[in-house]
Amino acid sequence: MLHRLQPLIQPQLQRLTRPHALAWLGLALLTAVAVGGAGHWAERRELQTKTAELHQAAEVYSLALRGVAERYDYLPYAAARHPEVLALLAQPDLPERRQQVNRYFEDLRGRTDSAALYVMDLNGQAVAASNWATPSSFVGQSYRQRPYFEQASQGVRNTFYGVGLTTGAPGLFIAEPVRQQGVVKGVVAVKVGLDELSQAWAKVAAPVLLQDSRGIVFLSSEPDWLYRSSRPLSPEDLAWLARHEQYGPPQTQTYPALPWRLERAADQAEYRLHTRQGGSQGGRQRELLALDTPLPELGWTLTVSTDLAEVALARRQALALAALGAAVLLLAALGWQQRERRFAEQRQARQELELRVQERTRDLQLAHAFRKAMEDSLLVGMRARNREGRIIYVNPALCEMVGYRADELLGCLPPYPYWHPDELDRHQRDSEAALQGRAAPQGFESRIRHRDGHDVITMVYTAPLIDEQGQHLGWMSSVVDITAQRQAEQRQREQALQLQRSARLASLGEMASTLAHELNQPLMALSNFALAAQALARQGPPELLQSALGDIVAQARRAGEIVQRVRGLIRPQGGQHQACDLAQVVERVQGLLQAELAAAPLRLDRAALTALPPVRGDRLLLEQLLINLLQNALQATEHLPAARRAIELSAQVQGELMELCVADHGPGISAGLREQVFNPFFSTKADGLGLGLNICRTLVEAHGGQLGVRERSDGQPGAVFFFTLPLMHPPRVPSLEHAST
């Protein structure tokens, strides 16, 4: 393959060794850059001019549209307040009043050059109109389904563009409610034709169009775009259009999509519009620069455009002029160089001949060295095969990758000596696919066997091998060694497994800390009750000793239940949820903390915990949760005066949940620490373990609720810890206890 490329590479190497050739190459590149820059500059300049003209045209067209609407804006307002109109709506059956209003509207239409002016009663029937004497008179016609009548009859002045129900001619309708003593008695409407505007638009070179709020084109300089939609219409939109017949009977309008293809830039209001103008079959393809201008007071969108053909023409002209100038300069420079070279050749003809021989020899040596260095420097293995699969070229990188010399590989047909013996079928399929031109362009992974026996993982990419005459000689493959990458991926997977084991050990340590924290309360109680039992054994009534021993047994059972519940927190089926009365749970907790509450002393207000529905939860875990929260509140208020040592318990139902609040009057918790206090081993107390609130959150989340802290709502200092629990409903599925059995 390389000896075929040598005739193409050698002349380039010869030129690159000549300083003058390098100078000419640099000059040619600079000339090409200058010519391209001139074309780009001309294109951008023309595009900026077109953009400025587009914005100016949008302003002019917008002013014209607003001028048409404002020109007739006063007409319905004035007519709605005319005494004769008010009198007609009060007595619509009097012919003389109807005739007076007909003639008044006829005279008003002639003076203002509007299309039509008419008044409707509250049933939508026209009782007088400016065209009363014409065959297409509005008098007696019903316009109840028209949107402008519906809104105006409700007291809202509005505008509406549509095709007339009576005349079939489109126009802009401006409707005004007729009020008498603040009550709507009828509707006055003026119809304004946009024929002059449409005729003016028909003469412009680039398309101009108007769309309504649904994207339907109702006025356009391009007739083929009328009543087409720029976006798909929903069934609700189509039903609304059919019901109100805005653009004619529903059987005559289908609102097909506009023949557009848009290219928008995120930071530009203008966009490129590709369309076929003059009909979808026989028209010509055009590329336009378009701009949308909203007209919110009318509910329309104005689209103006300009042809980009002039931009392309400006670029071509600039390129032609720049190329012509560059050609003149290059020809002049070339003539000057040829003249100087001819003089030099005449003086040094003999020396030039010797230099040419030396340069020829040096160029051949350089080409050979270049080819050899290129082959030796490649880290990617290269392999060329003819169309039959015979190896015709390998580079040193491939030989090093497979362990075979080039002379051992050249001329080999499949199966090749480096194919892995365990994957011969796969190698054969991949080879046949590559020789038939079906190799995956993204490459495929292949495991081969090195000559010394170790495996090599590679990625193989194959492309056609074409000679200088365009003939298909075979296939060239690049082979990349990815063994190290695969080994790194394996190490990464092993490290991930190690991290998972470390995480499990950390979870085990946290569970041990949780058990130590939670068992502290019943163990302290066991110790106190045991000391009391010893004292009662020496002296005291037997019934008190029996009570103390009973408390010891109860606390021992409580410690065992805590261990079981903590185990349940890490097992999905470990919960023992049942219906719990929060008032009874609080009463039980108050009894367990009676000594601490009396020693404080501290008042526990639980008057708000009455007539509450039961919640679903584990009674023992809920008791432990409240004990932790109340002990935190006790510690937060221990330095307060006796009058302020109080804890309020309250609850309220929120949908399917109940929220219970524990409020104290302590120093409170700053906003920056309200989330950190729930982290394991974080504590604001010098001797605290930082596990209490973390355990509380775990207990609440095990019940399907949430735990948080906030400020008091009454503005006093203190903190409010709140948590939610699900309400207990009649069971619709088997309980967890039944399911576990």
Side-chain angles (χ1 to χ4, degrees):
M1 175 61 187
L2 292 179
H3 76 275
R4 291 177 176 272
L5 298 176
Q6 183 174 349
L8 297 176
I9 297 176
Q10 184 172 347
Q12 302 297 330
L13 293 175
Q14 289 179 344
R15 294 190 183 95
L16 291 177
T17 57
R18 301 175 182 175
H20 292 294
L22 292 176
W24 277 107
L25 180 60
L27 182 60
L29 291 176
L30 289 175
T31 302
V33 171
V35 171
H40 182 69
W41 174 84
E43 183 179 15
R44 288 186 58 84
R45 182 173 179 276
E46 186 66 22
L47 187 60
Q48 291 174 355
T49 302
K50 289 290 185 182
T51 302
E53 293 176 354
L54 194 64
H55 282 271
Q56 184 177 5
E59 293 180 2
V60 172
Y61 286 124
S62 299
L63 289 175
L65 286 169
R66 291 188 175 98
V68 171
E70 293 172 358
R71 177 182 175 186
Y72 301 98
D73 189 64
Y74 73 95
L75 267 181
Y77 178 85
R81 285 154 179 78
H82 197 279
E84 294 181 356
V85 175
L86 296 174
L88 174 62
L89 290 175
Q91 295 177 323
D93 297 331
L94 293 180
E96 58 274 11
R97 291 192 182 278
R98 184 190 307 269
Q99 192 62 20
Q100 289 175 356
V101 176
N102 283 338
R103 295 189 181 279
Y104 167 66
F105 281 175
E106 183 179 22
D107 180 66
L108 193 59
R109 189 211 66 79
R111 292 177 181 273
T112 59
D113 197 25
S114 60
L117 185 68
Y118 52 102
V119 60
M120 295 161 283
D121 58 19
L122 290 179
N123 293 323
Q125 185 175 6
V127 295
S130 60
N131 61 354
W132 63 277
T134 64
S136 58
S137 172
F138 293 170
V139 178
Q141 301 293 331
S142 177
Y143 302 98
R144 184 180 183 85
Q145 79 268 32
R146 288 305 228 182
Y148 64 83
F149 172 78
E150 294 177 354
Q151 297 185 33
S153 63
Q154 297 175 4
V156 180
R157 189 179 192 276
N158 65 96
T159 59
F160 172 78
Y161 185 91
V163 176
L165 294 178
T166 305
T167 63
L172 174 64
F173 297 85
I174 306 174
E176 177 79 22
V178 180
R179 290 185 176 88
Q180 195 169 21
Q181 297 180 353
V183 179
V184 177
K185 297 294 185 178
V187 175
V188 170
V190 59
K191 179 179 180 182
V192 180
L194 301 182
D195 296 339
E196 294 183 0
L197 193 63
S198 178
Q199 293 172 2
W201 285 9
K203 300 177 182 179
V204 298
V208 183
L209 54 97
L210 273 174
Q211 304 178 48
D212 61 13
S213 59
R214 294 176 176 82
I216 299 175
V217 177
F218 62 86
L219 194 64
S220 172
S221 62
E222 179 65 24
D224 187 52
W225 293 353
L226 276 176
Y227 305 127
R228 287 175 172 257
S229 177
S230 60
R231 58 177 180 268
L233 297 177
S234 66
E236 293 79 8
D237 291 337
L238 293 173
W240 190 94
L241 292 168
R243 183 173 66 255
H244 296 288
E245 298 186 15
Q246 181 174 4
Y247 301 116
Q251 61 271 18
T252 63
Q253 299 295 347
T254 58
Y255 310 106
L258 284 165
W260 289 359
R261 183 173 62 84
L262 307 182
E263 294 181 10
R264 292 183 180 272
D267 56 344
Q268 293 181 355
E270 309 83 16
Y271 56 91
R272 292 177 181 262
L273 191 155
H274 301 270
T275 184
R276 183 175 294 277
Q277 193 174 359
S280 59
Q281 300 297 330
R284 60 189 181 93
Q285 193 73 26
R286 295 186 68 181
E287 182 180 8
L288 307 172
L289 183 67
L291 175 66
D292 292 338
T293 302
L295 302 174
E297 67 276 15
L298 298 174
W300 301 342
T301 299
L302 170 68
T303 301
V304 297
S305 63
T306 183
D307 202 332
L308 291 178
E310 297 180 5
V311 177
L313 178 61
R315 182 177 185 275
R316 290 195 299 269
Q317 291 176 347
L319 287 175
L321 291 175
L324 181 60
V328 172
L329 292 177
L330 289 175
L331 287 175
L334 182 60
W336 176 83
Q337 185 191 31
Q338 291 294 335
R339 177 175 174 276
E340 292 297 322
R341 180 179 298 175
R342 186 169 59 253
F343 291 158
E345 289 177 353
Q346 290 176 357
R347 290 191 302 265
Q348 299 179 356
R350 187 173 300 173
Q351 292 82 356
E352 184 69 22
L353 181 59
E354 295 177 358
L355 289 175
R356 287 183 179 179
V357 173
Q358 294 175 1
E359 289 177 358
R360 184 69 174 178
T361 303
R362 187 167 56 251
D363 290 343
L364 291 175
Q365 294 174 349
L366 180 61
H368 178 74
F370 177 80
R371 180 180 62 189
K372 188 69 171 67
M374 182 177 63
E375 294 177 0
D376 295 342
S377 64
L378 285 178
L379 298 179
V380 176
M382 302 299 296
R383 178 195 65 190
R385 297 184 294 174
N386 61 16
R387 301 179 68 175
E388 290 76 28
R390 188 181 303 276
I391 298 177
I392 58 176
Y393 168 76
V394 291
N395 69 338
L398 182 67
C399 295
E400 183 178 357
M401 194 179 302
V402 300
Y404 292 92
R405 300 190 308 273
D407 58 344
E408 294 176 320
L409 297 176
L410 293 177
C412 288
L413 288 169
Y416 304 126
Y418 52 81
W419 278 6
H420 200 285
D422 297 338
E423 299 186 2
L424 291 178
D425 293 340
R426 180 179 178 182
H427 285 303
Q428 187 65 38
R429 290 195 302 270
D430 292 340
S431 177
E432 292 177 356
L435 294 177
Q436 295 173 7
R438 294 185 288 104
Q442 67 273 16
F444 60 90
E445 186 173 317
S446 176
R447 182 169 65 133
I448 60 177
R449 176 66 59 85
H450 193 273
R451 189 169 193 169
D452 61 9
H454 73 271
D455 292 348
V456 180
I457 309 301
T458 64
M459 282 296 294
V460 182
Y461 305 88
T462 302
L465 184 62
I466 308 299
D467 65 1
E468 65 276 6
Q469 298 179 356
Q471 295 182 357
H472 183 200
L473 301 180
W475 306 92
M476 175 66 76
S477 299
S478 57
V479 185
V480 183
D481 187 353
I482 60 171
T483 306
Q485 176 183 348
R486 291 293 181 263
Q487 292 173 350
E489 293 174 355
Q490 179 63 26
R491 289 194 298 271
Q492 185 177 5
R493 287 191 292 269
E494 293 175 356
Q495 291 173 358
L497 293 175
Q498 183 65 28
L499 287 176
Q500 294 176 4
R501 288 193 293 270
S502 300
R504 288 194 293 270
L505 290 176
S507 299
L508 180 61
E510 184 175 350
M511 185 182 72
S513 300
T514 301
L515 283 172
H517 184 277
E518 292 301 304
L519 290 176
N520 183 59
Q521 177 70 21
L523 291 179
M524 289 293 296
L526 281 172
S527 177
N528 293 334
F529 289 142
L531 292 175
Q534 287 179 350
L536 293 172
R538 291 191 299 268
Q539 56 182 3
E543 60 272 11
L544 294 180
L545 177 60
Q546 185 68 25
S547 176
L549 293 175
D551 290 336
I552 291 175
V553 172
Q555 291 299 324
R557 289 177 178 174
R558 179 179 178 85
E561 290 179 353
I562 288 175
V563 172
Q564 293 298 325
R565 296 306 196 274
V566 171
R567 290 179 59 192
L569 292 177
I570 61 174
R571 293 186 294 120
Q573 68 276 17
Q576 298 183 8
H577 293 178
Q578 57 188 352
C580 297
D581 187 344
L582 277 182
Q584 294 179 1
V585 173
V586 172
E587 184 177 357
R588 169 69 175 169
V589 170
Q590 185 176 2
L592 294 174
L593 296 179
Q594 184 175 2
E596 288 89 338
L597 295 175
L602 185 139
R603 185 178 75 258
L604 182 62
D605 184 4
R606 57 188 184 92
L609 302 178
T610 58
L612 296 175
V615 297
R616 183 176 181 272
D618 189 305
R619 180 187 56 78
L620 181 63
L621 294 182
L622 293 181
E623 291 177 2
Q624 195 65 27
L625 168 65
L626 283 173
I627 288 174
N628 288 343
L629 293 179
L630 290 174
Q631 286 181 337
N632 284 347
L634 278 168
Q635 296 173 2
T637 57
E638 61 184 358
H639 300 296
L640 297 178
R644 294 183 56 193
R645 296 177 191 165
I647 301 176
E648 296 92 7
L649 296 179
S650 61
Q652 60 178 346
V653 177
Q654 299 178 349
E656 297 293 326
L657 300 175
M658 179 181 294
E659 181 183 85
L660 182 67
C661 299
V662 180
D664 61 53
H665 293 271
I669 299 176
S670 63
L673 297 179
R674 288 177 189 168
E675 188 61 30
Q676 297 185 43
V677 296
F678 298 103
N679 294 336
F681 310 111
F682 179 84
S683 176
T684 58
K685 296 176 288 187
D687 57 347
L689 291 177
L691 290 172
L693 289 177
N694 178 259
I695 294 172
C696 290
R697 173 168 281 187
T698 302
L699 293 176
V700 173
E701 291 177 351
H703 285 77
Q706 293 182 344
L707 172 65
V709 61
R710 58 176 178 254
E711 297 178 346
R712 295 180 63 94
S713 59
D714 55 7
Q716 299 183 15
V720 178
F721 282 87
F722 61 93
F723 60 90
T724 58
L725 296 172
L727 294 177
M728 188 68 186
H729 296 288
R732 292 185 295 270
V733 295
S735 65
L736 292 176
E737 296 178 353
H738 293 168
S740 63
T741 59

